[in-house]
Amino acid sequence: MNKVYILDTNVILHDPASLFKYAGNDVVIPAVVVEEIDSKKRLQDEVGRNAREFGRQYKTLREKYKDRLHEPFPLDHGGTLNIELNHRSFEHIKSVFSEDSNDNRILAVAVNIAIEQPKRDVVLVSNDILLIAKSDALTKSLNKHNFMAQLYENDRLVESSLTIHKGCHELQVSPDLIDTFHTEHALPLTELAEYLQIDVHPQDFLLLKSNTGSSQSAVGRVHKVTNRLTLKPFFYIDDDQFIWGLRPKNVEQRMFLELLLDPKVEMVCAIGKAGTGKTLLALAAALHETQDMKHYTKVTVARPIVPMGKDIGYLPGEKDEKLRPWMQPIFDNLEQLFNIDPDANRKNDKNGNSPRIEKEIEQLNMEVEALTYIRGRSIPNQFIIIDEAQNLTKHEVKTIVSRAGKGTKIVLVGDPDQIDHPYLDSVNNGLTYTIERLKTEEEIGIIRLAKTERSNLAEKAARWL
């Protein structure tokens, strides 16, 4: 027998196509969910867009089944869609959750359907873990084995941030293979087959260490050559090479720069905790590639406008003045690259801005923008850096990447464990989604930076706090 799936508001506002993701089953949307979606439809952001998209989808179904409005709408996959009006009763949950809140009304709908249809499995789908906790408690209290709650799983491609593809794998191998790699400057992956316990993709890095306990080691990048994967040494970056005054402080930073400087790698995704050098190295590589190598005509740096903690509200001034607080982390990194003393640079500016940085940005043909202004553009021959990409939805990432014109390179950097977006977590955000969906493509490079190089204090904060 098919199941009944009750969708919470946050599921539809995260993915309005969720209505069609439960093939062969019945989808129920409580009336209170429709009310909550209606309250969001005028927002000029991703949440508002998804609210309006839900309205358009319902309109299409309504027009198709206008003679059957009193019945659940049939869906193409064989199930139905129903706006539920008749389950406002709190009788079965009032002894546990007495407050007349929207969450409890959604919970009441799910419980009442489970009681009325005991032979069918009823599933409440939500991205609100506390609502799921309430559901779990009610399942035990009511002894209703046909009722359960679950997270929205359709865009959750990994179980946790720890299992995101990291782009670098350590192998314990025979010393003879390491010698061969150093001598031949290449090694077919077929030679490493017996040591590989994981899937390896083009642009992945392999750190080879001797399985005899000796200090022999080697590092290489996987290349796709005539339909086979071959491990080759680094080509674009050496340990002692400086890129705009910076050089890699660890092997992972060297891997990151190798991907950033390779023109054949059209998109790079870097994840790592605070202080690992993601944004700073990306900016240094961008300046090197545009100013020194002339591979790109312009650098564009953007960040999503998502506050950490309570929003401070509207900011005064023109667009650039409003954006300045959000873009300040970018300016901090640029001050380091340009060897600018931040205090001396800002003390004469009444707003505390960095006039020299702004002058440098103008001279270098660099653009620092909020992602709000990137939609609808076509961007050829540019080096684009998207900072804090973990705060993007999968739709927003798709929108950004689809802006890339011919000859453009896109770099997504972020930390999936530092989510400020109210509808995202470490697994279902746009950065994680992009990595997992595109990790097999040879134009995509992925690396996880593990070691914090900002300071000893920053390393301990990132690890233990």
Side-chain angles (χ1 to χ4, degrees):
M1 183 176 292
N2 64 349
K3 299 180 180 180
V4 179
Y5 287 92
I6 294 96
L7 303 188
D8 191 5
T9 310
N10 51 55
V11 172
I12 298 173
L13 292 179
H14 173 68
D15 181 9
S18 56
L19 311 177
F20 311 105
K21 300 294 179 65
Y22 298 96
N25 298 291
D26 296 335
V27 175
V28 172
I29 302 177
V32 64
V33 168
V34 177
E35 291 178 354
E36 289 188 325
I37 294 173
D38 182 66
S39 70
K40 305 293 185 181
K41 67 184 180 183
R42 290 179 178 82
L43 297 178
Q44 298 301 311
D45 57 12
E46 185 73 4
V47 172
R49 190 202 73 84
N50 288 342
R52 294 188 293 274
E53 178 60 23
F54 168 76
R56 286 189 287 267
Q57 291 176 352
Y58 183 81
K59 179 183 177 182
T60 299
L61 290 170
R62 187 178 185 277
E63 290 174 348
K64 185 176 181 180
Y65 300 108
K66 57 185 176 182
D67 297 327
R68 304 172 57 180
L69 297 181
H70 59 287
E71 301 175 0
F73 296 151
L75 298 175
D76 292 340
H77 61 227
T80 64
L81 172 67
N82 184 33
I83 307 297
E84 183 56 68
L85 300 174
N86 300 320
H87 290 83
R88 292 176 176 269
S89 173
F90 275 63
E91 185 65 29
H92 301 294
I93 73 169
K94 65 181 182 181
S95 61
V96 182
F97 304 116
S98 58
E99 181 185 357
D100 186 9
S101 67
N102 286 348
D103 277 358
N104 288 344
R105 291 172 65 188
I106 294 169
L107 193 55
V109 169
V111 169
N112 292 337
I113 292 177
I115 291 173
E116 290 178 4
Q117 303 182 46
K119 294 184 178 181
R120 301 180 70 188
D121 288 335
V122 177
V123 184
L124 175 59
V125 184
S126 177
N127 283 327
D128 183 351
I129 195 62
L130 296 183
L131 180 57
I132 290 177
K134 287 184 176 183
S135 303
D136 293 342
L138 276 175
T139 299
K140 298 174 184 177
S141 173
L142 300 173
N143 196 27
K144 292 300 299 177
H145 301 293
N146 69 319
F147 171 60
M148 63 173 293
Q150 67 181 37
L151 289 167
Y152 181 58
E153 302 286 353
N154 291 82
D155 58 356
R156 306 176 76 86
L157 303 180
V158 291
E159 293 182 359
S160 73
S161 61
L162 297 176
T163 56
I164 300 171
H165 184 70
K166 60 183 181 180
C168 176
H169 316 282
E170 182 177 318
L171 300 181
Q172 303 287 330
V173 303
S174 165
D176 293 338
L177 288 174
I178 298 176
D179 290 337
T180 300
F181 181 69
H182 284 304
T183 302
E184 302 294 334
H185 303 296
L187 191 64
L189 283 199
T190 52
E191 298 290 327
L192 298 170
E194 65 179 289
Y195 305 101
L196 288 170
Q197 304 296 321
I198 38 79
D199 292 331
V200 173
H201 308 298
Q203 311 309 341
D204 280 1
F205 294 91
L206 296 183
L207 177 58
L208 307 181
K209 293 189 175 182
S210 171
N211 58 10
T212 64
S214 69
S215 60
Q216 283 180 284
S217 65
V219 183
R221 180 157 60 117
V222 178
H223 293 260
K224 187 175 183 180
V225 182
T226 60
N227 295 321
R228 68 172 183 168
L229 295 179
T230 300
L231 188 67
K232 293 186 177 181
F234 288 0
F235 178 78
Y236 294 95
I237 186 71
D238 297 323
D239 283 332
D240 58 352
Q241 182 177 351
F242 282 83
I243 302 295
W244 268 69
L246 300 179
R247 66 177 180 181
K249 292 187 175 182
N250 56 58
V251 67
E252 292 160 348
Q253 289 192 354
R254 187 180 172 193
M255 294 171 182
F256 186 28
L257 283 171
E258 178 79 1
L259 295 173
L260 291 170
L261 301 181
D262 186 348
K264 294 181 181 178
V265 179
E266 297 178 5
M267 184 164 75
V268 179
C269 299
I271 59 176
K273 55 191 176 183
T276 51
K278 306 181 298 296
T279 306
L280 184 62
L281 289 172
L283 285 168
L287 292 169
H288 173 77
E289 289 292 279
T290 54
Q291 302 301 312
D292 302 336
M293 305 304 294
K294 308 299 182 183
H295 288 157
Y296 308 93
T297 60
K298 186 177 181 179
V299 178
T300 297
V301 189
R303 305 177 87 232
I305 304 298
V306 180
M308 182 185 73
K310 186 175 178 60
D311 196 349
I312 60 175
Y314 290 103
L315 297 173
E318 301 298 324
K319 185 191 79 169
D320 290 344
E321 294 175 292
K322 292 175 183 289
L323 291 178
R324 187 59 190 239
W326 304 103
M327 299 297 112
Q328 189 57 49
I330 304 298
F331 289 99
D332 291 343
N333 281 285
L334 290 173
E335 285 174 346
Q336 182 173 344
L337 288 174
F338 296 138
N339 294 315
I340 295 174
D341 181 350
D343 294 330
N345 188 40
R346 298 173 194 171
K347 67 180 181 180
N348 295 323
D349 188 275
K350 64 180 182 179
N351 297 317
N353 293 335
S354 307
R356 185 180 163 189
I357 280 291
E358 293 168 359
K359 183 177 179 181
E360 294 280 4
I361 288 174
E362 183 178 353
Q363 291 178 343
L364 294 173
N365 196 22
M366 176 184 288
E367 184 177 10
V368 180
E369 274 283 22
L371 283 175
T372 307
Y373 303 101
I374 205 169
R375 184 187 295 272
R377 298 172 59 184
S378 180
I379 310 176
N381 301 312
Q382 291 192 26
F383 196 111
I384 302 175
I385 301 171
I386 307 299
D387 196 24
E388 302 292 344
Q390 78 278 1
N391 283 319
L392 299 174
T393 68
K394 62 178 184 178
H395 175 79
E396 288 171 329
V397 169
K398 180 180 179 180
T399 300
I400 293 164
V401 176
S402 63
R403 298 303 95 208
K406 187 175 182 180
T408 285
K409 187 185 194 101
I410 294 184
V411 181
L412 304 178
V413 298
D415 181 2
D417 290 321
Q418 289 193 355
I419 301 289
D420 302 311
H421 193 291
Y423 294 104
L424 300 178
D425 59 32
S426 64
V427 172
N428 70 352
N429 65 84
L431 178 59
T432 299
Y433 186 82
T434 301
I435 289 172
E436 291 302 314
R437 287 300 298 267
L438 299 181
K439 63 187 178 184
T440 61
E441 303 298 320
E442 61 180 310
E443 300 86 4
I444 312 301
I446 297 164
I447 189 64
R448 180 195 294 266
L449 303 174
K451 186 176 181 182
T452 295
E453 297 288 355
R454 180 175 292 160
S455 68
N456 182 53
L457 177 59
E459 164 71 19
K460 292 184 177 180
R463 180 180 299 178
W464 301 114
L465 297 184

